[in-house]
Amino acid sequence: MSITMTGFTLFHQAPFRLCRAIWETIPSSVRRTPTMVRVGRYIYRNFVRDTVRFQSHYTHFLRNPPLLSAVASLTSGYPANGNLNIISIGCSTGAELYSFLHAIKKVRSDLNVKAQGADISEVVVEVAKRGIYFPDTPAAEGGLYVAGRAEVASKDVPSLVEILEPLADGSLRVKDRLRQDVVWLTVDATDERLSNLVGRQDIVLANNFMGPMPDELAERCLVNMMGLVVPGGYLVVDGIDLDIKTQVLKASRFRPVLTSQEEIWSSESSRGGWPWLRWAREPFDRSEADWAYRYSVIFQSGDH
Ligand SMILES: C[S@@+](CC[C@H](N)C(=O)[O-])C[C@H]1O[C@@H](n2cnc3c(N)ncnc32)[C@H](O)[C@@H]1O
């Protein structure tokens, strides 16, 4: 306690920005050593973790390509022509779910995929349902939270031709084969009746909305998400406090899936700035005792 208080006092005597500037002069190879990661974690836990938390509708297509590939490859374990239930909770304007559907259907066109997207904000759910986006313009304006970046940047349009088709007015629409049959709902992820509303799922995407929640609510919400997954199914969970994720999942029936773990963790350039920004990505540190849980995004339910 006294060490923490002394550190806190000393730290606050020095200007925060100066400390960050000094940190950034350290070569990144040195910053990634286990000792420096531990220093960074100390800074994060004591001075950054409890700084301002805010929700947004930030999302975009193909947000984490290694994650899309890894989840798609896991579907190889499902029987030919079988059913696959997938839900994106906190789906925002739909770019995440459409990206996953594209990745899965590419490798398993035989599966009967039943997809649902759910968000607390009705406005973004309506956008997701329409599946129409203008390049460089966030479609989530008017939603409950800050809109965030555009779902599609002009420079990325050529890489999205398999997902989006151009319309005469300059907008882009999600192709019919991805839009058809998706069910969109306005729901609160913390609602304990959620599994009655949406049913249990083979794959639950629960990304980037628990991080801004107060700790106790985030913990309850994660348990709620876990309860949606069928035995043997997968929970994909990112953008949540790492201590909460590790503690809750380690004590559960879920086990980390290590396929492409480090690649998935290192993807997404928008997560730079650790340890000075709350939502930034902690460097992957294999010397950390709980590294398998801490740096995994995909978890499998162990009740076979
Ligand atoms: C940052 S976006 C993430 C979108 C997408 N999951 C992704 O990772 O790209 C977070 C979304 O979660 C939604 N959200 C926040 N709290 C929620 C809650 N309690 N229940 C359902 N959705 C929630 C917000 O409305 C927002 O659209």
Side-chain angles (χ1 to χ4, degrees):
M1 173 72 172
S2 64
I3 292 171
T4 308
M5 284 306 290
T6 311
F8 187 85
T9 311
L10 283 175
F11 191 87
H12 276 268
Q13 281 168 357
F16 190 84
R17 274 196 224 152
L18 178 62
C19 292
R20 181 173 178 178
I22 293 168
W23 175 272
E24 279 161 7
T25 62
I26 302 169
S28 63
S29 57
V30 176
R31 275 191 262 151
R32 296 180 72 92
T33 58
T35 307
M36 288 305 287
V37 171
R38 249 169 261 145
V39 172
R41 212 177 284 153
Y42 178 84
I43 294 169
Y44 183 85
R45 282 191 178 135
N46 289 283
F47 310 110
V48 177
R49 184 182 184 279
D50 293 322
T51 54
V52 62
R53 303 180 185 199
F54 65 94
Q55 290 282 2
S56 83
H57 296 299
Y58 179 111
T59 189
H60 56 95
F61 285 89
L62 307 185
R63 184 168 181 167
N64 187 325
L67 178 61
L68 293 168
S69 303
V71 170
S73 73
L74 291 171
T75 62
S76 64
Y78 288 83
N81 305 310
N83 292 328
L84 181 87
N85 292 313
I86 179 169
I87 190 164
S88 161
I89 307 273
C91 64
S92 186
T93 49
E96 174 183 69
L97 183 57
Y98 289 130
S99 301
F100 274 92
L101 289 177
H102 169 64
I104 291 169
K105 289 184 179 199
K106 221 172 157 176
V107 294
R108 289 299 309 268
S109 57
D110 62 302
L111 289 176
N112 172 28
V113 179
K114 292 185 181 150
Q116 297 180 82
D119 199 283
I120 200 166
S121 172
E122 197 177 342
V123 167
V124 298
V125 170
E126 283 307 312
V127 174
K129 197 183 221 166
R130 276 199 307 278
I132 296 176
Y133 310 86
F134 280 90
D136 305 318
T137 309
E141 294 295 354
L144 275 183
Y145 306 118
V146 179
R149 63 165 272 186
E151 290 76 2
V152 189
S154 296
K155 68 176 176 47
D156 296 331
V157 172
S159 63
L160 294 168
V161 288
E162 291 179 5
I163 301 179
L164 299 164
E165 59 193 0
L167 299 184
D169 63 358
S171 65
L172 299 156
R173 184 174 58 201
V174 174
K175 293 194 169 174
D176 287 348
R177 69 182 177 86
L178 299 174
R179 259 184 321 120
Q180 69 197 7
D181 302 329
V182 179
V183 173
W184 298 98
L185 311 124
T186 305
V187 294
D188 181 349
T190 64
D191 188 334
E192 285 164 9
R193 296 161 304 175
L194 194 60
S195 96
N196 295 336
L197 286 170
V198 301
R200 295 186 80 202
Q201 306 289 319
D202 298 297
I203 301 175
V204 173
L205 309 171
N207 295 316
N208 303 309
F209 64 89
M210 285 180 271
M213 289 180 178
D215 290 352
E216 194 264 334
L217 186 64
E219 204 174 314
R220 268 198 291 123
C221 190
L222 177 55
V223 171
N224 216 23
M225 297 298 99
M226 287 155 54
L228 295 179
V229 183
V230 295
Y234 299 96
L235 174 65
V236 179
V237 59
D238 201 2
I240 179 171
D241 180 82
L242 299 188
D243 293 335
I244 293 176
K245 180 179 82 173
T246 304
Q247 179 205 315
V248 173
L249 282 158
K250 217 180 148 188
S252 78
R253 66 183 198 275
F254 284 83
R255 295 292 166 257
V257 173
L258 301 182
T259 314
S260 309
Q261 185 201 28
E262 194 162 352
E263 212 187 332
I264 292 168
W265 195 249
S266 314
S267 191
E268 292 200 46
S269 53
S270 61
R271 292 188 192 272
W274 187 86
W276 307 98
L277 298 173
R278 177 168 162 80
W279 59 84
R281 198 63 123 189
E282 177 178 308
F284 195 103
D285 174 17
R286 231 176 259 279
S287 71
E288 160 68 33
D290 291 326
W291 64 269
Y293 283 86
R294 196 168 178 88
Y295 307 119
S296 279
V297 170
I298 311 174
F299 295 83
Q300 184 172 27
S301 163
D303 290 346
H304 289 277

